[in-house]
Every structure is written in structure tokens, then in C-alpha cells.
């Protein structure tokens, strides 16, 4: 008992002393990052590399880029998870068990198996283990075993209390706290040989893991009772002084690391890496970077890295990484210099030089031990050099020789940057120039006072010094100083760093790497580096024993690897921005051991492993979202069951409505540790033919895509140039309704109908135009006729006017003639009257006789008749044979009545007619009355109008 107490008290110091000096990086995922519950009970990985964790809030997945939680229907804790050979993800919760599988949209959906379980067995509590065995899936609860096979679920329950279930060496082993270890034989559970151990009975111990360590051998870990060995059916507790420690730390889970080591996850002490004899190889706890020491689950992924499900959080230990961190002290001072000498590793930091003894190991980072401070080295350490079998330390306070665990000063010149052999002596660069050391003699190089942090010696014993702000200097063997700047071929006077590479003086500049040409005494671009690095700014160069050139570009580290026929540039992106900026240091031992100074301690690279430690890259399409906000998931990462290739089948090609023709596609690789090494290139066939430039973005948006079929292609590559296979995702953007086949058919119909309608309309229009043309022609003819008629009318009117004028003139003449006759008659009558009066008054017979002769002559009618005939002749000419027509119509009309009609047609007044007819006005009226009766005119007919209508056609027609 006392021995156990002493072991427990001393175990922290013991463990610290036994830990490896190099530890891999630990990545912490907090609850706020993965957005799930605090506790993580089980961990698995599918063939594509996706990680699945049994979380308090459901099944948690991680694809290298994003986390996602898949809750159970009853929202219970998921205690266990298994990736089945049938491609299903089996999970067990509280009173719930079943599996997740992808639906047609690539989304994981849960299928419960509760309905297959008898009602009496449905309240089974938590499912702690899920194990595949001979095509069946076994679920372990506290008091029941469920077997799912061929769609049927069988219950095993014999009233026992079950503590563990797993397969070991082709056997399904169950721990029954009452009956011990049982194995399944057909459908029966039978005892596993013996359970007696050298230290008692294992029946009461809570087994947490059984791991095969050889043929018919297995290590059994227990929660509180340490570790046991199962060999040929016999169980014995291993003979290890650490068993008491493991009992105290409580082993909650365990996994195999390799053929020699296993990892123990404890609830009190973090993770222990042990060999099969129980010896501790490494430990990971809060001190080494874990979030807490309470580990509920542990899993070794396909990259050989460790996943830890914590009581609160998730940690990833990059256990298989070729890069380790070495921190001599927990305060993580910056690393400036390193050297390996006589199986000892010396590390110079910003606050001292530390040393540890190395064990025999190709990879020094796996050497176990602790660092101690070398005496007299507190303060800033700048450089460690091995010259003439001595270890020299450049320190802020001067120069020291390291002997054993003590630093012996041999120069008090302040600020020794570096050392370089020079003939039989040493040249030391310091804050104020160069120090020449020959035995015990020390003196500064004359006429040179520049700070000499970068020093190189060429074959001619010229000492080259560069100052980042003052240029490059050459000090020959006679201590003559020459300055080199832009006139000597350098691109600038600033930021030049001198090195001796490939047996040549080489300068890293802002415009690439330059080499010194002795013949021209000029610097010129180095063609070798120009082809590989171009004009990258370079501020550090280091050549290793294999001829590889390590370089620092800005805050990134890389190497020009020359181990193959063709040089290759490899960037160590895991260390990007982790180097000590401005004071970079690379110390090369061999291909398994490269040391680099960092902002926090040192980094160790097993370069040989780094180049080999790469699994085939696997890039996957993880989601496709659509819509204006690109937030509607159409595809959620799974093409089919997990045991099938991740290839999209034809029936899973989605058709996207044109209203959602903007898509966002997310992709990733399942290289779960350090995605900074991965670059992606993609294209969308159907929109673009060229691949995008390589970059780190893992999401691509496309907006306003035209209708059509598209194939998104993406590939990945790592920093070693290895490319993945191309991943594809096909989708179709449907045409809008107005661009569908039916719409085009309708358009064709409307087009034909339109053409027909247009033809018909055009035809009608042509007919109408022809009709309108004809009408226009007719109208024009009509108008022409009208115009001609109008013209003729106007001519007729003019003729009528002329005729009327002639008529009026003739009427006037006739009237004048008539009046002349009237006046003549009146005159004759008056003359006759006066002559008659004269005859009465004279007595001369002769005179009387002559007068009577004259009266008689005046009274004769012949002349009057001639006058009338003349009047009649001219009247008929003017009035269209009126008199002739009147006589034809009314043959019984008298001459006086004809005269009256003529005078009435001439529209003479009654008085004028009376004078012409030599009758009274009253006589005219009576004559008119008699004429109407003779002509048989009704009272309503105007005599004048009647007379006007006589003549012309009536005359000619008789």
C-alpha cells in the first residue's frame, strides 16, 4: 500500500521526466466551435474520412471544414456510434437505437429500430457499445444485448449486468459482471475459459477496452483496476509499476497506435501512450495542450492522428505529424539556436541555453527526457557553433565555450551574433563589427563597425557581411572594405542577406536570389533559383547535407528539394507565421532531424517522414445550396451509403427551378489535420472551360445561371504537389416556364398562327388595299367626273349665264322691240288721232284727203303683222321654240292668247302686257283667267311655271 502511495505521489514527476522532448501539435475544438453538447462518448471515421462523434446532443460530424449535429428523434444523448459494413451509421442513445443513412438529397436521416423491439424491452436505458460481428450489428445496454440481422432485431437478456462488448481475435466478447467474460457461440453466451488472475478476480473490474497485441493475445484495460493481459484464454495483470498510476487515473477508453504502442484515455490524467509492457512512452494532458484531462473516448484516424472526445470539448493530436514542438521550458521562450553534440541537444532561447541527453532514435523528437539550464547562460542566446570540436555560444554578453553543463566565457565583447572559422582562427560577428579571434588574442577588424549578424567566408578568405539597411560589404584578407549596392547589381541597398550556398556567395533580396560573379565583381540573378522561386523576397537560406536549400520567404518556410533528378519546391505551410520573424534559424542534422527556431520554443521536422507521410487526397462535394440568399440546402454531402463510392448517380441529378438559379457549392478534403497545406482548383462545365487558379477557398458561388446542365468539378493538391482525383457534382437549371418545350411548342403554334394570321391579314389588307385602291380610283374617276361635271357645269353655267345674258339681252331686245311696237302703236294712234283732229279743223279737201290717206296708211295691219312675225321668230329662238311647242300642245289657242303666253313667259308685268296688247290692265287679267281655263290648269299650278316648262324637248319630241 505504501508503495502505491509513493508511486502516486511521485508519478507526475516521473511522467514529466519520461515524456518525449518533441510533442505533436494539439488542436482544440471547443463546444462553441462544433456547436454541440459538451461530452463526446464515441468516435468513428468512414471510408471517405469524415469523423463521427457520439455527442450529448446527437451525432456530430466533421468533414475537415465544418461541423454538423444530427439529433435523434427523442433528442437524447448519443453514447455510441459505428460505421457499418453496409454503409449505415449506427448510433445508440437513451431508449433509442437505429442508424443514419443518406436520403436522395444527400442528407443523413435517422431510421429507428425501436419498432422491431418487443414492448417489454423498450426501456433499456443507454446503448454503450455497438459492435459488428458476422454480418450482424450488436447493441449493448446495461442489461440487454440487441442483435440486428437481416432486418430483424433479437434481444439477449438473462438478467445480468453488462459492462463491455467488443470483438477481439474474431471473437465477440461480453463482460457480464456476474458471470465474467463471455463469448458468443452461435446464439449462446459461454464463458471465456478462466478469469482468475495473479492479483485476484477480474469479474468486478469495469473493462473499458480489449486490444489485440498479437495472435491470441490482448490487453484488457479497466476503469479502476489497471491493465491485464489476455493470453490463450488466461487473464493476468501486467507486471508494471504504472498499474497503480493507471488505476488512479481511471482508464475510460483505449486504442491501438501501432504494433508496439497503445493509447490510454483517462478521466484524471489525459492520454498516456504506453508499450505492451505498460511502460509510458508519452503523455498528453493540459500541460501538453489538452483542454482538460477528462477523456471519454479516443480514436486513431486513418492518418494515424488521435481524436479525443473530452468531458467538455474535442481535441485532435496530430500524432503522426512529422512536425513536433520542442519547448525546453513551459514558459515557451523564443527559439534562436540549436546544436547536437555528443548525444546532447542544446537549445538556445531568449532566456538561456538548455540541454538534454538524447536516447538512440533516428527521430530525435521521440527521445525521452527533460531539459536543464546550462550555467551562466541566462539572457539572450544568439548562436551555437561547433568549431574545431568545441561548442561556442554567441551571447548578448559575449562569447562562451560550452563544457559539460557550464558555459565558460572567453570574450567579453558584447553581442556576439555568430562564429565562422577563418584560417587557424575564428571570425565572430558582433553588434559593432567583426571580432578576429586567434587563440587567446582578440581584436576587432579595423575600419568596419557595422552590426554583423549575417556573415559568410568565401574560398578566397574574403569575409562578406550584410546589413539589412546598409547594404553588402566585403572585407578582404588585408581588411580592406568594399561596399556593394545597386551599382554592383543588387536590386536595392535594403533587405539584403548574405549566405554561402552551393559554394558561392549568395544574397537573398526583395527581388529573388542573387549570386556574386567574381570575374565581373557584380551580383546577378541566380538562374537556378530564378527558375524555381522567381523573384520572391528571400531573407534566409540554409543548405543541408543532402544539398536541399531551405529558405524563408516573408513568414513562410520552404525547401528546394534536390534529392530527385528534378528539383522541387516544397512549402512547409504548417509552420507559416510561426517562425521567429527577423531572427529565423534552421539547423539541419540529417533528413530525419531539422530544427527551426519559433516564436514559442522550437520546431522539429522529420523531413524524410514529411515527404512520405501523405495519404491519397480525397476531395468531396459537401453541400449545394440554392436560392437568392444561397441558404436552401439541396444537397448535404452524401451521394449514397458509406460503403459505396461517393459518386453521383443519374437519378440523383437535381433539377433546379429557374427562380433559384444561384448556387453555392462547398467542398473539402478529409485531411483533417492542417488544411493550410491543401489548395483547390475548380470549374463549372457548362459555364467555363478553364480551371480556376489554385487557392484555399472551399466554397464557390455562382449567380444567375442560364438554363442548362452543369457539372461542377473540383480537385485538390497538397504542398508536395500531389493532386486528388476530380470530384464531380451535376445539376440542371431548369428553363423558366417561358423557355420550356411546351412553351416553345406554344410559341411555335403562336408563330404559325401568327404567320397564318399575318398572311390572312396581309391578304385581307391587300384585298382591302385593292378595294381601297379601286375605290380611290373610282373616287378619283368620280372626282374627275365631278370635276369634269363641275367644269362642264361651270361651262354650262357659263353658257347658261351667257344664254341667260343672251336671253335677258334677247328678252330685253324683245321687250324693247315690244315696247317699240307699243310706243310705235301709241305713236301711230296718237298721230292718227291728231290727224283726225286736224282733218276736222281744216277745210282743204286736198289736205283732208291726203290726211285721210295717211291715217289709212297708218291703220294698215300688214306692217304690224310683219312686226309680230319678226317678234315671234326671235322669241322662239330665245325660248326654245316656245310658241311652236305651245301650238303643238294647244292647237286651239289664238294668236292673242299666244302673245299673252309669250309675254307671261318673258315675265313682263301686267301693265307692260296691257300696253303691248293695247288693252287695259283689267283686260289682261281677264285674258289670263280665260287662258288658264283654255289650258285646263288646276288652281294650284302656277301659270308662269307651266309656261316655263314648255319648249325644248317637248317641241322636238312632237
Amino acid at each position: 500500500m505504501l508503495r502505491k502511495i509513493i508511486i502516486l505521489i511521485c508519478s507526475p514527476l516521473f511522467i514529466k521526466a519520461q515524456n518525449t522532448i518533441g510533442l505533436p501539435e494539439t488542436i482544440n475544438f471547443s463546444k462553441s466551435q462544433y456547436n454541440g453538447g459538451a461530452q463526446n462518448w464515441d468516435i468513428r471515421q468512414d471510408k471517405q474520412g469524415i469523423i463521427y462523434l457520439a455527442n450529448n446532443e446527437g451525432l456530430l460530424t466533421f468533414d475537415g471544414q465544418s461541423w454538423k449535429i444530427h439529433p435523434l428523434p427523442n433528442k437524447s444523448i448519443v453514447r455510441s456510434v459505428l460505421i457499418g459494413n453496409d454503409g449505415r451509421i449506427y448510433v445508440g442513445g437513451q431508449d433509442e437505437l437505429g442508424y443514419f443513412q443518406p436520403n436522395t438529397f444527400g442528407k443523413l436521416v435517422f431510421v429507428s429500430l425501436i419498432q422491431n423491439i418487443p414492448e417489454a424491452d423498450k426501456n433499456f436505458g443507454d446503448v454503450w457499445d455497438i459492435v459488428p460481428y458476422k454480418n450482424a450489428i450488436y447493441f449493448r445496454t446495461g442489461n440487454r444485448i440487441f442483435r440486428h440481422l437481416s432486418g430483424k432485431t433479437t434481444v439477449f437478456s438473462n438478467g445480468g449486468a453488462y459492462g463491455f462488448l467488443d470483438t477481439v481475435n474474431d471473437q465477440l466478447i461480453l463482460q457480464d459482471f456476474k458471470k465474467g467474460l463471455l463469448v458468443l457461440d452461435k446464439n449462446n453466451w459461454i464463458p471465456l475459459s478462466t478469469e482468475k488472475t495473479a492479483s485476484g478476480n477480474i469479474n468486478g473490474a469495469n473493462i473499458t477496452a480489449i486490444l489485440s497485441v498479437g495472435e491470441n493475445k490482448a490487453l484488457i484495460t479497466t476503469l479502476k483496476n489497471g491493465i491485464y493481459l489476455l493470453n490463450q484464454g488466461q487473464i493476468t495483470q501486467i507486471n508494471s509499476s504504472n498499474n497503480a498510476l493507471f488505476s488512479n487515473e481511471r482508464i475510460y477508453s483505449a486504442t491501438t497506435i501501432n504494433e508496439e504502442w497503445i493509447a490510454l484515455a483517462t478521466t484524471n490524467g489525459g492520454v498516456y501512450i504506453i508499450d505492451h509492457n505498460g511502460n509510458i512512452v508519452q503523455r498528453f494532458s493540459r500541460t501538453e495542450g489538452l483542454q482538460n484531462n477528462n477523456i471519454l473516448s479516443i480514436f486513431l484516424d486513418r492518418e494515424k492522428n488521435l481524436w479525443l472526445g473530452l468531458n467538455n470539448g474535442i481535441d485532435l493530436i496530430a500524432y503522426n505529424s512529422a512536425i513536433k514542438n520542442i519547448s525546453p521550458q513551459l514558459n515557451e521562450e523564443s527559439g534562436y539556436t540549436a546544436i547536437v553534440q555528443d548525444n546532447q541537444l542544446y537549445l538556445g532561447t531568449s532566456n538561456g541555453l538548455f540541454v538534454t541527453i538524447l536516447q538512440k532514435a533516428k527521430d530525435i523528437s521521440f527521445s525521452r527526457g527533460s531539459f536543464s539550464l546550462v550555467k551562466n547562460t541566462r539572457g539572450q542566446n544568439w548562436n551555437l557553433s561547433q568549431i574545431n570540436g568545441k561548442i561556442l555560444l554567441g551571447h548578448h554578453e559575449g562569447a562562451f565555450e560550452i563544457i559539460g553543463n557550464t558555459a565558460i566565457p572567453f570574450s567579453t565583447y558584447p553581442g556576439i551574433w555568430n562564429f565562422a572559422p577563418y584560417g587557424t582562427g575564428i571570425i565572430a560577428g558582433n553588434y559593432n563589427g567583426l571580432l578576429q579571434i586567434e587563440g587567446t588574442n582578440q581584436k576587432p577588424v579595423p575600419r568596419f563597425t557595422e552590426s554583423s549578424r549575417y556573415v559568410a567566408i568565401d574560398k578566397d578568405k574574403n569575409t562578406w557581411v550584410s546589413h539589412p539597411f546598409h547594404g553588402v560589404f566585403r572585407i578582404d584578407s588585408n581588411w580592406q572594405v568594399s561596399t556593394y549596392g545597386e551599382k554592383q547589381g543588387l536590386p536595392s541597398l535594403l533587405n539584403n542577406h548574405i549566405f554561402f550556398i552551393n559554394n558561392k556567395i549568395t544574397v537573398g533580396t526583395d527581388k529573388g536570389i542573387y549570386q556574386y560573379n567574381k570575374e565581373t565583381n557584380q551580383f546577378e540573378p541566380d538562374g537556378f533559383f530564378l527558375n524555381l522561386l522567381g523573384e520572391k523576397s528571400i531573407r534566409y537560406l540554409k543548405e543541408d547535407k543532402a544539398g536541399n536549400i531551405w529558405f524563408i520567404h516573408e513568414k513562410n518556410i520552404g525547401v528546394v528539394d534536390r534529392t530527385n533528378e528534378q528539383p522541387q519546391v516544397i512549402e512547409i505551410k504548417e509552420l507559416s507565421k510561426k517562425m521567429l520573424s527577423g531572427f529565423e534559424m534552421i539547423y539541419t542534422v540529417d533528413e530525419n532531424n531539422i530544427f527551426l527556431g519559433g516564436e514559442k520554443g522550437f520546431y522539429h521536422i522529420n523531413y524524410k517522414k514529411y515527404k512520405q507521410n501523405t495519404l491519397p487526397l480525397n476531395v468531396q462535394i459537401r453541400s449545394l445550396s440554392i436560392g437568392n440568399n444561397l441558404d436552401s440546402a439541396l444537397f448535404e454531402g452524401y451521394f449514397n451509403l458509406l460503403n459505396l463510392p461517393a459518386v453521383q448517380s443519374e437519378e440523383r441529378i437535381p433539377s433546379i427551378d429557374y427562380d433559384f438559379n444561384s448556387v453555392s457549392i462547398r467542398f473539402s478534403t478529409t485531411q483533417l489535420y492542417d488544411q493550410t497545406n491543401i489548395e483547390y482548383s475548380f470549374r463549372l462545365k457548362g459555364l467555363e472551360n478553364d480551371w480556376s487558379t489554385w487557392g484555399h477557398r472551399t466554397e464557390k458561388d455562382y449567380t444567375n445561371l442560364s438554363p442548362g446542365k452543369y457539372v461542377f468539378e473540383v480537385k485538390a493538391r497538397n504542398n508536395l504537389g500531389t493532386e486528388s482525383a476530380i470530384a464531380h457534382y451535376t445539376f440542371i437549371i431548369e428553363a423558366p416556364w417561358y423557355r420550356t418545350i411546351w412553351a416553345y411548342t406554344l410559341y411555335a403554334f403562336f408563330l404559325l398562327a401568327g404567320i397564318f394570321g399575318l398572311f390572312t391579314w396581309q391578304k385581307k389588307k391587300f384585298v382591302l388595299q385593292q378595294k381601297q385602291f379601286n375605290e380611290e380610283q373610282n373616287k378619283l374617276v368620280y372626282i374627275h367626273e365631278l370635276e369634269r361635271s363641275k367644269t362642264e357645269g361651270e361651262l354650262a353655267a357659263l353658257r347658261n349665264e351667257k344664254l341667260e345674258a343672251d336671253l335677258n339681252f334677247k328678252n330685253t331686245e324683245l321687250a324693247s322691240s315690244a315696247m317699240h311696237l307699243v310706243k310705235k302703236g301709241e305713236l301711230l294712234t296718237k298721230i292718227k288721232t291728231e290727224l283726225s283732229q286736224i282733218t276736222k279743223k281744216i277745210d282743204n279737201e286736198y289736205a283732208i284727203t291726203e290726211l285721210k290717206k295717211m291715217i289709212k296708211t297708218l291703220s294698215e295691219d300688214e306692217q304690224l303683222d310683219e312686226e309680230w312675225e319678226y317678234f315671234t321668230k326671235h322669241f322662239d329662238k330665245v325660248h326654245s321654240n316656245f310658241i311652236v311647242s305651245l301650238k303643238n300642245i294647244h292647237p286651239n289657242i289664238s294668236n292673242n292668247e299666244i302673245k299673252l303666253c309669250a309675254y307671261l313667259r318673258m315675265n313682263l308685268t301686267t301693265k307692260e302686257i296691257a300696253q303691248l296688247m293695247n288693252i287695259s290692265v283689267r283686260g289682261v287679267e281677264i285674258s289670263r283667267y280665260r287662258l288658264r281655263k283654255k289650258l285646263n290648269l288646276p288652281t294650284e299650278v302656277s301659270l308662269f311655271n307651266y309656261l316655263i316648262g314648255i319648249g325644248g324637248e317637248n317641241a322636238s319630241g312632237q
Side-chain angles (χ1 to χ4, degrees):
M1 184 67 180
L2 180 61
R3 178 174 177 269
K4 288 187 178 181
I5 294 175
I6 293 173
I7 290 175
L8 292 177
I9 294 174
C10 298
S11 61
L13 295 175
F14 174 75
I15 296 303
K16 180 173 178 62
Q18 294 300 312
N19 219 358
T20 54
I21 61 172
L23 294 173
E25 181 182 10
T26 298
I27 301 173
N28 305 131
F29 300 102
S30 65
K31 177 183 174 182
S32 61
Q33 286 177 276
Y34 59 76
N35 244 355
Q39 295 172 313
N40 297 276
W41 300 93
D42 200 4
I43 309 171
R44 292 292 184 270
Q45 185 177 35
D46 68 17
K47 292 181 179 179
Q48 304 302 321
I50 297 173
I51 291 291
Y52 301 85
L53 300 100
N55 184 265
N56 275 6
E57 294 183 5
L59 177 67
L60 183 63
T61 65
F62 180 60
D63 61 12
Q65 288 291 333
S66 60
W67 298 87
K68 192 168 186 179
I69 194 77
H70 305 269
L72 294 181
N74 65 358
K75 307 298 182 183
S76 71
I77 296 173
V78 176
R79 298 288 190 183
S80 52
V81 60
L82 170 74
I83 310 299
N85 293 328
D86 55 3
R88 295 168 175 171
I89 308 166
Y90 291 91
V91 297
Q94 292 178 339
D95 294 329
E96 182 64 274
L97 56 85
Y99 56 87
F100 282 93
Q101 66 180 12
N103 63 10
T104 56
F105 297 102
K107 180 181 180 180
L108 290 181
V109 294
F110 183 72
V111 179
S112 178
L113 298 177
I114 292 296
Q115 67 275 7
N116 298 332
I117 297 175
E119 195 67 32
D121 295 311
K122 287 186 177 180
N123 295 324
F124 48 77
D126 291 300
V127 177
W128 292 100
D129 295 320
I130 306 176
V131 181
Y133 182 67
K134 292 184 178 179
N135 300 321
I137 303 295
Y138 291 83
F139 300 84
R140 179 189 71 84
T141 70
N143 54 14
R144 290 177 178 83
I145 304 294
F146 298 99
R147 180 175 64 187
H148 180 68
L149 178 63
S150 301
K152 297 181 180 180
T153 302
T154 306
V155 182
F156 294 91
S157 178
N158 57 6
Y162 305 134
F164 179 80
L165 179 70
D166 203 352
T167 57
V168 180
N169 297 325
D170 296 326
Q171 288 183 309
L172 182 62
I173 299 179
L174 170 67
Q175 181 187 24
D176 187 324
F177 286 117
K178 296 180 179 179
K179 299 179 180 179
L181 292 183
L182 307 176
V183 295
L184 183 64
D185 183 14
K186 296 181 180 179
N187 290 326
N188 299 312
W189 294 97
I190 62 175
L192 175 66
S193 186
T194 177
E195 293 127 20
K196 295 292 182 181
T197 71
S199 57
N201 197 306
I202 197 175
N203 286 358
N206 191 346
I207 295 176
T208 55
I210 303 178
L211 305 174
S212 176
V213 292
E215 187 176 356
N216 295 322
K217 288 185 179 181
L219 287 181
I220 301 176
T221 64
T222 64
L223 184 65
K224 301 179 184 179
N225 299 78
I227 303 174
Y228 294 82
L229 176 65
L230 173 62
N231 186 7
Q232 302 293 334
Q234 301 296 316
I235 299 176
T236 58
Q237 193 169 37
I238 63 171
N239 184 21
S240 171
S241 58
N242 295 318
N243 242 334
L245 172 68
F246 299 148
S247 298
N248 181 66
E249 301 286 29
R250 298 195 174 192
I251 303 171
Y252 203 86
S253 182
T255 189
T256 299
I257 296 290
N258 52 41
E259 293 180 355
E260 299 177 356
W261 298 343
I262 65 172
L264 308 179
T266 70
T267 60
N268 296 325
V271 175
Y272 292 93
I273 309 298
I274 66 170
D275 61 20
H276 296 170
N277 295 319
N279 300 315
I280 296 174
V281 178
Q282 278 178 312
R283 183 195 181 194
F284 298 93
S285 64
R286 288 180 64 96
T287 302
E288 286 74 30
L290 301 187
Q291 295 178 79
N292 58 75
N293 288 342
N294 191 346
I295 316 298
L296 301 178
S297 56
I298 188 168
F299 177 76
L300 187 76
D301 68 17
R302 63 179 187 174
E303 296 177 25
K304 307 300 182 183
N305 296 317
L306 283 173
W307 287 84
L308 309 180
L310 308 181
N311 189 58
N312 187 1
I314 300 168
D315 283 344
L316 168 60
I317 300 175
Y319 195 77
N320 198 37
S321 173
I323 300 175
K324 304 290 194 300
N325 178 255
I326 300 177
S327 181
Q329 297 290 294
L330 295 180
N331 51 9
E332 296 181 333
E333 290 100 342
S334 299
Y336 284 85
T337 184
I339 196 169
V340 174
Q341 181 74 12
D342 298 329
N343 289 326
Q344 294 184 99
L345 172 63
Y346 294 89
L347 299 178
T349 72
S350 55
N351 193 28
L353 176 66
F354 297 89
V355 64
T356 185
I357 298 174
L358 299 177
Q359 299 172 340
K360 289 183 179 181
K362 287 184 177 181
D363 188 330
I364 292 176
S365 67
F366 280 97
S367 178
R368 296 190 295 274
S370 60
F371 285 91
S372 59
L373 177 67
V374 176
K375 294 179 181 179
N376 304 326
T377 61
R378 281 296 184 190
Q380 180 66 59
N381 290 252
W382 292 120
N383 177 267
L384 285 168
S385 297
Q386 195 275 334
I387 298 178
N388 298 326
K390 297 180 179 180
I391 300 178
L392 305 182
L393 170 66
H395 195 276
H396 174 69
E397 297 176 359
F400 296 80
E401 181 184 353
I402 306 301
I403 300 175
N405 200 33
T406 304
I408 309 298
F410 64 90
S411 176
T412 57
Y413 275 83
I416 301 297
W417 292 114
N418 49 61
F419 302 95
Y422 188 84
T424 58
I426 296 172
I427 288 289
N430 59 76
Y431 294 169
N432 300 310
L434 296 170
L435 181 65
Q436 183 183 11
I437 302 174
E438 187 76 38
T440 59
N441 296 322
Q442 301 177 22
K443 59 181 179 180
V445 171
R447 298 181 300 278
F448 187 75
T449 58
E450 296 286 351
S451 179
S452 303
R453 190 154 64 92
Y454 297 92
V455 176
I457 310 295
D458 67 17
K459 296 178 181 179
D460 298 322
K461 292 188 177 182
N462 296 310
T463 304
W464 294 82
V465 176
S466 66
H467 191 289
F469 308 113
H470 298 159
V472 175
F473 306 92
R474 184 185 69 176
I475 301 94
D476 64 19
S477 58
N478 295 319
W479 313 120
Q480 297 299 312
V481 180
S482 302
T483 303
Y484 291 79
E486 294 178 79
K487 291 182 179 180
Q488 288 75 34
L490 292 173
S492 171
L493 193 66
L494 303 176
N495 298 321
N496 298 306
H497 303 83
I498 198 84
F499 303 95
F500 192 68
I501 303 294
N502 285 337
N503 295 316
K504 296 180 293 186
I505 292 298
T506 304
V507 178
T509 75
D510 283 338
K511 296 293 184 180
I513 298 175
Y514 283 66
Q515 66 175 357
Y516 175 67
N517 188 327
K518 180 180 178 181
E519 295 180 359
T520 60
N521 194 30
Q522 292 280 314
F523 281 92
E524 54 193 31
D526 190 309
F528 173 77
F529 290 107
L530 186 64
N531 292 332
L532 293 169
L533 301 177
E535 294 187 350
K536 286 183 178 180
S537 60
I538 303 295
R539 64 185 183 203
Y540 188 89
L541 291 168
K542 182 71 173 183
E543 185 174 7
D544 66 19
K545 294 178 180 179
N548 303 315
I549 312 297
W550 296 76
F551 64 88
I552 302 292
H553 163 59
E554 294 179 352
K555 294 186 179 181
N556 302 309
I557 180 173
V559 57
V560 177
D561 189 288
R562 302 171 69 183
T563 55
N564 297 319
E565 291 184 5
Q566 294 296 326
Q568 177 187 6
V569 177
I570 299 174
E571 295 185 13
I572 314 296
K573 294 185 178 180
E574 294 92 333
L575 297 180
S576 178
K577 299 181 181 180
K578 294 181 180 180
M579 303 293 289
L580 191 60
S581 182
F583 292 91
E584 295 87 355
M585 182 279 300
I586 300 176
Y587 171 62
T588 63
V589 179
D590 53 38
E591 62 181 354
N592 298 305
N593 299 282
I594 309 291
F595 291 87
L596 303 96
E599 293 180 349
K600 296 181 178 180
F602 294 82
Y603 294 97
H604 175 276
I605 302 178
N606 186 331
Y607 184 56
K608 181 179 180 180
K609 181 179 180 181
Y610 186 88
K611 293 190 294 182
Q612 299 172 346
N613 198 26
T614 303
L615 289 174
L617 283 177
N618 175 30
V619 65
Q620 301 179 54
I621 311 292
R622 294 303 302 152
S623 70
L624 182 139
S625 301
I626 62 174
N628 294 330
N629 297 322
L630 301 175
D631 56 359
S632 178
L634 183 66
F635 172 69
E636 296 192 35
Y638 295 90
F639 290 110
N640 38 46
L641 294 176
L642 304 187
N643 63 333
L644 299 175
V647 178
Q648 184 183 21
S649 57
E650 284 293 329
E651 61 271 15
R652 293 201 175 188
I653 296 177
S655 294
I656 302 172
D657 191 274
Y658 184 75
D659 292 337
F660 302 94
N661 64 344
S662 294
V663 302
S664 177
I665 303 173
R666 189 176 64 82
F667 43 88
S668 70
T669 64
T670 48
Q671 179 172 309
L672 303 175
Y673 166 65
D674 201 349
Q675 289 272 332
T676 59
N677 273 337
I678 306 300
E679 293 180 321
Y680 301 89
S681 181
F682 47 80
R683 66 179 176 181
L684 185 63
K685 294 179 68 176
L687 178 67
E688 53 201 5
N689 294 321
D690 297 330
W691 289 88
S692 68
T693 56
W694 292 99
H696 293 287
R697 62 184 301 184
T698 59
E699 188 171 357
K700 176 61 178 176
D701 297 339
Y702 295 96
T703 58
N704 299 319
L705 291 174
S706 301
K709 186 174 183 179
Y710 296 92
V711 180
F712 180 78
E713 296 182 335
V714 61
K715 56 185 177 180
R717 74 175 182 185
N718 59 24
N719 58 325
L720 299 177
T722 303
E723 288 191 14
S724 70
I726 297 173
H728 307 78
Y729 188 83
T730 304
F731 61 93
I732 297 171
I733 299 292
E734 292 182 342
W737 65 268
Y738 52 83
R739 293 178 65 177
T740 60
I741 294 177
W742 294 108
Y744 284 122
T745 303
L746 190 62
Y747 298 153
F749 172 77
F750 282 131
L751 179 62
L752 293 175
I755 292 173
F756 178 76
L758 180 62
F759 173 76
T760 304
W761 174 79
Q762 192 67 27
K763 183 177 179 181
K764 289 183 178 179
K765 182 181 178 182
F766 176 75
V767 172
L768 181 62
Q769 286 178 341
Q770 187 66 35
K771 182 179 179 181
Q772 289 177 345
F773 176 77
N774 293 335
E775 289 178 352
E776 290 291 334
Q777 292 300 313
N778 293 334
K779 186 176 180 181
L780 290 174
V781 171
Y782 175 71
I783 291 172
H784 178 70
E785 292 294 328
L786 285 178
E787 288 179 349
R788 190 176 70 176
S789 298
K790 181 179 179 182
T791 304
E792 291 178 352
E794 289 176 350
L795 292 174
L798 290 174
R799 284 196 299 268
N800 289 336
E801 287 178 2
K802 186 172 186 279
L803 289 173
E804 186 177 358
D806 291 342
L807 179 61
N808 290 335
F809 178 73
K810 295 294 183 182
N811 284 336
T812 303
E813 284 185 340
L814 289 173
S816 297
S817 177
M819 291 305 296
H820 175 70
L821 290 174
V822 171
K823 295 298 182 181
K824 183 178 179 182
E826 288 178 351
L827 179 61
L828 290 176
T829 300
K830 184 177 180 181
I831 292 174
K832 286 191 299 180
T833 301
E834 288 181 354
L835 288 176
S836 295
Q837 291 295 332
I838 293 173
T839 59
K840 291 178 177 180
K841 292 179 177 181
I842 65 172
D843 291 330
N844 189 339
E845 284 293 334
Y846 176 77
I848 292 171
T849 302
E850 290 296 324
L851 288 170
K852 286 182 178 179
K853 286 181 180 179
M854 291 177 63
I855 293 170
K856 181 179 180 183
T857 300
L858 292 171
S859 301
E860 289 179 354
D861 292 329
E862 289 85 357
Q863 290 181 348
L864 290 173
D865 290 337
E866 289 177 0
E867 292 286 347
W868 172 248
E869 288 176 0
Y870 175 79
F871 175 82
T872 301
K873 179 179 178 181
H874 285 281
F875 184 87
D876 274 347
K877 287 182 180 179
V878 174
H879 291 277
S880 302
N881 298 321
F882 171 75
I883 294 174
V884 175
S885 299
L886 182 63
K887 285 182 178 180
N888 290 333
I889 299 172
H890 301 285
N892 296 326
I893 194 168
S894 65
N895 287 333
N896 286 332
E897 290 172 341
I898 291 171
K899 288 181 181 180
L900 178 60
C901 290
Y903 295 150
L904 287 172
R905 184 177 174 95
M906 289 176 63
N907 202 20
L908 298 178
T909 63
T910 301
K911 185 179 178 180
E912 291 173 339
I913 294 172
Q915 289 178 349
L916 289 171
M917 296 187 69
N918 198 21
I919 60 176
S920 64
V921 174
R922 177 64 179 167
V924 174
E925 291 177 353
I926 292 172
S927 296
R928 288 181 64 177
Y929 173 74
R930 288 175 179 171
L931 180 61
R932 286 182 65 89
K933 289 187 68 177
K934 196 168 187 177
L935 297 178
N936 293 320
L937 293 178
T939 57
E940 65 272 12
V941 177
S942 170
L943 178 58
F944 174 77
N945 291 336
Y946 178 75
L947 293 176
I948 287 297
I950 296 175
E953 294 179 359
N954 291 334
S956 62
Q958 296 299 323

